[in-house]
Amino acid sequence: MTFSELCDEIIQHYDDARDFAKILKAVYLGEFEHIKKENMEKYNITEKDDLLFYGKNRPIFKSLTFFNEIPVFRKEEDSILFLKDIGIPPSKTLNSLTYEEKIKLRNEFLNISKTIIPREYFSHVPKLIFGKEYYFKDVCLKEYVSALNGIYKIGNKRKVIELIINRKIPEEKDVIKYRKILAKRINLFNKKLDDYEIRNFNINFNGKNFKCQYIYIRQTVWDKILGLFGEGIELKYYPTLVNIAYSSKKIDFLKPFFIFIDIDKNISVYARVPKLLYLKHGLSLNYLKLKGKTTYFGNWERDKFWKIIEKGSL
């Protein structure tokens, strides 16, 4: 069961939490336009102009290093040097910056971003860096949902339901526990990524051809057993891993990336569309029977997958 399906369960069975669960589901799926204004006011969700980097209460240098929409910094030391050069203490958090400091960081990051992206995308870069951000109890709404989803993934379904029903912020110890488990999965995945061949195929969307990259993973019974003991990668972590993959030099940050996992009779599909492609071309993968918006997931029949591989296009 995904976090989206968990929200559906709450919507169906808990009347008092229905509207709040709908908001969280929309955030999880990246469908902010589905959040009703009256529900935002009802739950004191505020909107403000803000930097869009992830990790609002973590050191800024970490937020910049892991911002892989435009992977300017692949090493923490490079991010630290950049911040020192523009006069912003790397150890400060995004939430602790003044508005003037946020604007300065936006402008400087925008300038350095233009050194690594094609000119045709320049006009869309500012929308990735600065824009509307939503806050619930002074916590970034996206990060709140991410924390709930993480706690759910490590097996605390009842706790997540209670947090949503009571509209509470998770305890830091639970979030840290998830981060530690996720960090282990990230390390395992990065090792896989080093070994796997990055292959290519094309998709057609609105009359345009887009080159895509993918890896194919055949999951064995042994892989499933390893997952039970924390030494493998369970499927539930791949929506996060398909995003993190863009931090690797092997993955082109301007091409959609797919992870195909051959398991039982189906292919589990996890995919990511770079936001620059979405902003410029409106590229969506929903027509491929995948759920989400920029990050996608779903299941295909094995025959459909092999036809794509044989044809090299979809």
Side-chain angles (χ1 to χ4, degrees):
M1 180 186 287
T2 65
F3 182 77
S4 174
E5 292 168 329
L6 177 64
C7 288
D8 286 336
E9 183 178 309
I10 293 172
I11 290 167
Q12 184 176 355
H13 297 291
Y14 300 91
D15 292 345
D16 292 343
R18 180 178 293 121
D19 290 340
F20 190 59
K22 286 180 180 178
I23 291 173
L24 301 184
K25 178 181 177 180
V27 173
Y28 175 74
L29 294 175
E31 298 173 344
F32 288 90
E33 67 276 10
H34 292 175
I35 299 176
K36 297 180 180 180
K37 187 176 180 180
E38 57 266 31
N39 285 340
M40 287 179 58
E41 293 173 349
K42 178 180 178 181
Y43 297 111
N44 295 316
I45 295 171
T46 57
E47 176 188 274
K48 68 177 181 178
D49 294 326
D50 204 356
L51 289 164
L52 301 179
F53 302 120
Y54 189 83
K56 297 291 194 292
N57 286 311
R58 303 182 74 185
I60 303 172
F61 74 89
K62 289 186 177 291
S63 296
L64 296 187
T65 304
F66 294 104
F67 183 69
N68 55 24
E69 294 292 351
I70 309 171
V72 174
F73 308 109
R74 296 188 187 273
K75 296 179 181 178
E76 290 185 353
E77 49 263 42
D78 294 335
S79 175
I80 290 170
L81 255 169
F82 164 75
L83 289 165
K84 286 182 176 179
D85 285 344
I86 66 173
I88 295 178
S91 59
K92 291 187 74 172
T93 66
L94 289 166
N95 276 345
S96 70
L97 295 180
T98 65
Y99 187 76
E100 290 71 23
E101 286 175 318
K102 289 180 180 181
I103 295 300
K104 181 179 183 180
L105 179 53
R106 178 199 66 179
N107 293 341
E108 296 292 347
F109 191 86
L110 180 61
N111 289 335
I112 198 169
S113 295
K114 289 181 177 179
T115 65
I116 68 168
I117 64 169
R119 183 175 294 275
E120 63 193 274
Y121 291 102
F122 280 8
S123 63
H124 300 287
V125 175
K127 300 170 191 172
L128 295 181
I129 300 171
F130 201 88
K132 298 295 182 184
E133 197 73 281
Y134 298 92
Y135 282 82
F136 171 69
K137 294 187 176 180
D138 296 322
V139 176
C140 175
L141 194 54
K142 287 186 294 189
E143 296 183 25
Y144 175 64
V145 169
S146 178
L148 292 176
N149 186 32
I151 295 169
Y152 171 56
K153 282 180 180 178
I154 60 176
N156 291 328
K157 177 181 176 181
R158 172 48 54 187
K159 181 174 287 187
V160 173
I161 290 176
E162 290 174 356
L163 287 168
I164 293 174
I165 291 172
N166 296 309
R167 300 189 291 282
K168 289 186 176 180
I169 304 298
E171 292 183 54
E172 187 64 17
K173 65 177 183 179
D174 292 326
V175 178
I176 290 173
K177 182 179 179 181
Y178 165 67
R179 285 177 182 165
K180 287 181 178 179
I181 293 172
L182 177 62
K184 188 170 185 177
R185 301 304 185 276
I186 290 171
N187 288 334
L188 289 169
F189 178 71
N190 285 337
K191 289 177 183 177
K192 281 182 177 286
L193 204 55
D194 287 338
D195 295 335
Y196 276 95
E197 177 186 356
I198 307 299
R199 304 176 184 179
N200 299 282
F201 71 100
N202 297 326
I203 59 173
N204 292 295
F205 179 80
N206 284 348
K208 293 181 181 178
N209 189 287
F210 294 91
K211 292 183 178 180
C212 302
Q213 53 206 329
Y214 75 92
I215 59 172
Y216 166 75
I217 300 173
R218 180 75 175 94
Q219 191 174 61
T220 65
V221 174
W222 180 241
D223 290 325
K224 295 178 186 177
I225 294 172
L226 287 174
L228 294 174
F229 292 95
E231 299 300 326
I233 304 175
E234 304 94 311
L235 294 180
K236 60 188 175 184
Y237 289 101
Y238 277 100
T240 300
L241 297 174
V242 78
N243 287 300
I244 288 170
Y246 280 92
S247 296
S248 169
K249 291 182 178 180
K250 291 184 72 172
I251 306 300
D252 188 331
F253 76 98
L254 283 174
K255 290 180 182 176
F257 176 58
F258 289 73
I259 300 175
F260 295 114
I261 302 178
D262 196 331
I263 179 170
D264 298 327
K265 296 181 180 179
N266 294 315
I267 301 290
S268 288
V269 184
Y270 304 92
R272 171 76 177 174
V273 171
K275 287 183 181 176
L276 282 174
L277 287 184
Y278 175 77
L279 291 171
K280 182 172 176 57
H281 302 289
L283 178 58
S284 167
L285 301 180
N286 294 139
Y287 77 105
L288 299 178
K289 295 184 179 179
L290 297 175
K291 296 180 180 179
K293 186 175 182 180
T294 70
T295 301
Y296 299 87
F297 50 91
N299 290 294
W300 289 352
E301 293 180 0
R302 187 179 281 125
D303 288 347
K304 178 177 182 177
F305 168 73
W306 286 114
K307 284 179 183 177
I308 294 171
I309 299 308
E310 290 169 2
K311 292 169 57 181
S313 64
L314 181 62

